Amino acid sequence: MMRSLFVSLLLLCAIAPFAIAKEAEPTGDDPAVEQRLMNLSKELRCLVCQNETLADSQADLAADLRGEIREQIKAGKSDKEIIEFLTARYGQFILYRPRVTPTTYLLWFGPFVLLLGGLWVLFTYIRQRRDAVAENPLSDDERRRAEELLASASGKETM
Amino acid sequence: MLKYLIPLALFLVLVVFLAIGLGRDPHEVPSPLINKAAPTFRLPQLKEPTKTFSADDMRGKVWILNVWASWCISCRDEHPLLVEYAKTRAVPIYGLNWKDKREDALQWLDELGDPYVLSVSDLDGRIAIDYGVYGAPETYVIDQSGTIRFKQIGAVTPDVWSNKILPLVQQLNRQGSSK
């Protein structure tokens, strides 16, 4: 009894992945088309699961869009035309690498501005500190006391 | 004093940016189609598939295109509101039945009521792609010249209807009649 239960459980486990897996998408027969589709869809964002590329996404919309791109490739459209087609409908959001336009300057150059600002703060801080240290040299009196203290300290150590 | 004020000011700026960022819904992607011509289509009608309907048939009228599907959960939330709004006859609502099975769609309308003047079937979702649809329900307000003037992503709420859609429709109708 236990044994047959165990076997059927094992069988169930073996079958489960096939039950979960979706029906395979119709793939084109032309490997060159598929390669271009793959390269393009890696650059494009799936709008349903926004942190996935169109290439990775399992969403139905992503499958539809891949189908659309495949057909456009077959129709002889260039990559640029296809990207244009998609951004006209879904906006720049669909691009994983947003274009450099005045609205995205902050996005593209902001980190470098922050880096420069950080460097400026760092250098001014270091310069200030160096000046502050250099401005207060020991007086003769202080130097003599320091030497005395050092001498007595080393004297103790040897004992 | 300034030594402490500068970091404080920077911190406050950061807080404001983060607060704005948190308040936004990342699922609402601004549509590039606003103020552009509504993509044209000719699709079979859901109830009478032998007849077709085209966006061009609506030239000269302000109308609403609502993307819906029987498999779409938020559509179910939105539906009673649409039924109610359709009764006011403020603006004709047309449905784009997105990637749905015809029987399921008809059954849904039977069960929940039909707010649409008519619905068209976009079985393979090609027209939805033209409209930049990525999550039903989506609602478009289209003006007399066939230009998209407003897009609601996700379910229409009473707030959106009475504060955005209705005033816009009234304004468009006024502009249309004064021309």
Side-chain angles (χ1 to χ4, degrees):
Chain A
M1 178 60 203
M2 265 321 266
R3 208 188 135 127
S4 65
L5 195 72
F6 181 68
V7 170
S8 48
L9 254 179
L10 260 185
L11 269 174
L12 207 64
C13 291
I15 295 167
F18 299 100
I20 293 165
K22 282 196 182 177
E23 196 181 326
E25 271 179 56
T27 51
D29 29 8
D30 186 350
V33 170
E34 292 310 298
Q35 189 55 47
R36 265 186 70 195
L37 169 66
M38 206 59 198
N39 290 342
L40 258 176
S41 51
K42 273 183 195 158
E43 288 287 314
L44 297 167
R45 184 194 302 275
C46 168
L47 288 116
V48 182
C49 10
Q50 300 183 340
N51 284 333
E52 275 190 308
T53 64
L54 267 189
D56 296 331
S57 180
Q58 291 288 318
D60 283 345
L61 180 69
D64 285 355
L65 286 176
R66 284 195 296 266
E68 182 74 39
I69 296 171
R70 182 180 290 123
E71 279 184 27
Q72 297 208 3
I73 292 175
K74 283 182 181 162
K77 294 253 178 82
S78 72
D79 287 4
K80 218 181 141 198
E81 280 169 326
I82 294 170
I83 299 265
E84 207 50 57
F85 172 89
L86 289 168
T87 45
R89 282 156 183 75
Y90 291 99
Q92 286 214 20
F93 187 77
I94 201 166
L95 304 175
Y96 252 117
R97 277 188 288 184
R99 291 187 187 127
V100 184
T101 62
T103 49
T104 55
Y105 281 167
L106 193 63
L107 181 69
W108 278 103
F109 305 119
F112 299 105
V113 172
L114 279 180
L115 181 69
L116 285 178
L119 285 175
W120 179 77
V121 168
L122 181 70
F123 281 121
T124 44
Y125 177 71
I126 288 175
R127 195 178 310 133
Q128 263 179 12
R129 217 172 59 150
R130 199 183 49 201
D131 292 351
V133 170
E135 270 167 20
N136 291 317
L138 292 178
S139 66
D140 286 348
D141 217 29
E142 283 167 335
R143 187 175 295 276
R144 208 177 310 119
R145 266 193 65 205
E147 273 164 8
E148 271 172 24
L149 283 169
L150 284 170
S152 66
S154 60
K156 271 178 200 155
E157 254 171 53
T158 50
M159 280 207 316
Chain B
M1 193 58 189
L2 199 67
K3 207 171 157 188
Y4 300 104
L5 277 180
I6 290 175
L8 185 68
L10 286 175
F11 174 71
L12 286 179
V13 168
L14 189 69
V15 166
V16 168
F17 271 100
L18 289 178
I20 294 171
L22 280 175
R24 280 192 178 172
D25 180 359
H27 270 279
E28 276 187 27
V29 181
S31 173
L33 286 165
I34 302 290
N35 293 329
K36 299 257 169 68
T40 188
F41 59 82
R42 183 163 288 284
L43 284 173
Q45 296 182 12
L46 177 67
K47 288 192 169 166
E48 295 170 84
T50 49
K51 288 191 192 164
T52 60
F53 169 77
S54 165
D56 297 335
D57 298 347
M58 295 307 290
R59 277 292 157 94
K61 287 184 195 140
V62 180
W63 60 296
I64 282 179
L65 183 70
N66 176 252
V67 181
W68 66 283
S70 64
W71 47 262
C72 145
I73 297 158
S74 336
C75 297
R76 197 168 272 271
D77 292 337
E78 183 189 58
H79 203 79
L81 287 174
L82 290 182
V83 172
E84 196 186 306
Y85 298 146
K87 282 186 196 146
T88 66
R89 297 182 174 279
V91 53
I93 304 174
Y94 287 76
L96 181 77
N97 187 221
W98 183 32
K99 298 195 74 170
D100 212 346
K101 286 203 189 87
R102 185 163 179 263
E103 311 87 77
D104 294 351
L106 289 173
Q107 197 194 336
W108 154 288
L109 291 181
D110 264 357
E111 263 173 40
L112 302 170
D114 186 353
Y116 307 109
V117 180
L118 58 87
S119 284
V120 290
S121 313
D122 185 19
L123 292 179
D124 54 7
R126 293 295 284 275
I127 302 305
I129 289 178
D130 277 346
Y131 275 80
V133 171
Y134 60 89
E138 294 192 11
T139 305
Y140 299 81
V141 177
I142 300 169
D143 74 5
Q144 292 94 334
S145 64
T147 308
I148 296 177
R149 301 302 290 263
F150 176 79
K151 178 184 179 184
Q152 168 72 13
I153 295 157
V156 168
T157 59
D159 177 49
V160 168
W161 180 267
S162 46
N163 293 331
K164 289 198 175 138
I165 294 180
L166 266 188
L168 176 64
V169 166
Q170 282 160 359
Q171 184 206 333
L172 290 172
N173 277 328
R174 263 200 309 276
Q175 283 172 359
S177 58
S178 66
K179 259 179 211 164

